[in-house]
Amino acid sequence: MTESTAISQLRLVDWNLAAEDLATVLYDVDGDSGVFADAARGTDGIKDVAVPTSTGGSRWVLVTADPGALPFFRTFLVLTARAGLLVRSPVAYSDFETRGEVIGDASALQAAVDAAPRAIDVTIENVGSRPSVRADAFSELSDRQREAVVTAFEHGYYRHPRETTHAELAEELGCAANTVSEHLQKAEVKLITAVVERQS
């Protein structure tokens, strides 16, 4: 499905394999989520496809399927689970490759790679330690900062060109325009810092 020019990348952000005969996965689609959802609906073994509604259009697609319809995904998780490793989300799909981050013992990771089917070409790009970074950078924001960011997003502040101003957001939030500016600046520093630290 990532072969479509309407989709540049899929990110698997969460999954549930609790049911023996059913897998539920949540994708973040970088591109046209409708194209991805339509392709998923036409795939054998897919039981349900939901596109949650949200302001500005959804990038999320929730897929429920027979595990056999997601063979690589299931193999990937079974291998790492057996080795006692943890797969961090997101797992990204693009350009016929799947990339993910696995946390655990290096020897356990090597055992998982050795157990992989020959049809799957596995490359370990880096082994090492990294600082602990909260996966949910939003949790670092104060309630007021979070409210300001969400309101700004919903009113098109982060679109290009911008569809609202600090003054309009201030009226919506019931505060002064310079207060909105301060909340957004502080929130943006926290969010961007978390993103950059996670990539380093």
Side-chain angles (χ1 to χ4, degrees):
M1 294 180 217
T2 55
E3 292 84 16
S4 169
T5 56
I7 300 168
S8 59
Q9 188 180 68
L10 295 175
R11 284 175 291 279
L12 180 63
V13 294
D14 214 343
W15 52 85
N16 182 346
L17 295 176
E20 185 82 16
D21 58 348
L22 215 56
T24 303
V25 295
L26 179 65
Y27 293 98
D28 176 15
V29 181
D30 190 357
D32 190 333
S33 60
V35 169
F36 174 71
D38 288 343
R41 289 185 183 103
T43 302
D44 290 341
I46 301 296
K47 300 296 186 183
D48 187 53
V49 178
V51 181
T53 56
S54 65
T55 302
S58 179
R59 292 168 45 122
W60 305 104
V61 178
L62 186 67
V63 177
T64 303
D66 291 331
L70 308 167
F72 177 77
F73 164 72
R74 187 167 179 81
T75 301
F76 179 59
L77 293 181
V78 167
L79 285 172
T80 53
R82 284 183 181 174
L85 303 170
L86 177 67
V87 179
R88 288 190 69 185
S89 66
V91 176
Y93 301 85
S94 64
D95 299 324
F96 302 97
E97 289 186 347
T98 301
R99 291 177 174 267
E101 182 178 359
V102 179
I103 297 174
D105 182 73
S107 60
L109 177 58
Q110 187 61 57
V113 171
D114 293 342
R118 291 183 182 177
I120 300 177
D121 182 20
V122 180
T123 302
I124 299 175
E125 293 185 346
N126 185 36
V127 176
S129 60
R130 60 181 295 157
S132 175
V133 179
R134 281 182 180 263
D136 181 14
F138 229 54
S139 65
E140 295 293 321
L141 305 184
S142 70
D143 290 344
R144 200 62 171 149
Q145 289 168 357
R146 192 177 301 113
E147 182 184 15
V149 168
V150 169
T151 301
F153 181 81
E154 290 176 344
H155 287 77
Y157 180 79
Y158 292 106
R159 294 195 185 112
H160 182 75
R162 284 187 172 156
E163 298 176 2
T164 190
T165 65
H166 286 163
E168 291 168 339
L169 292 173
E171 186 174 337
E172 185 74 22
L173 292 166
C175 63
N178 63 341
T179 303
V180 170
S181 177
E182 183 179 345
H183 286 322
L184 291 178
Q185 287 176 2
K186 288 182 177 179
E188 288 160 4
V189 167
K190 291 177 182 178
L191 294 172
I192 291 171
T193 298
V195 170
V196 172
E197 286 181 351
R198 191 167 183 180
Q199 299 303 314
S200 61

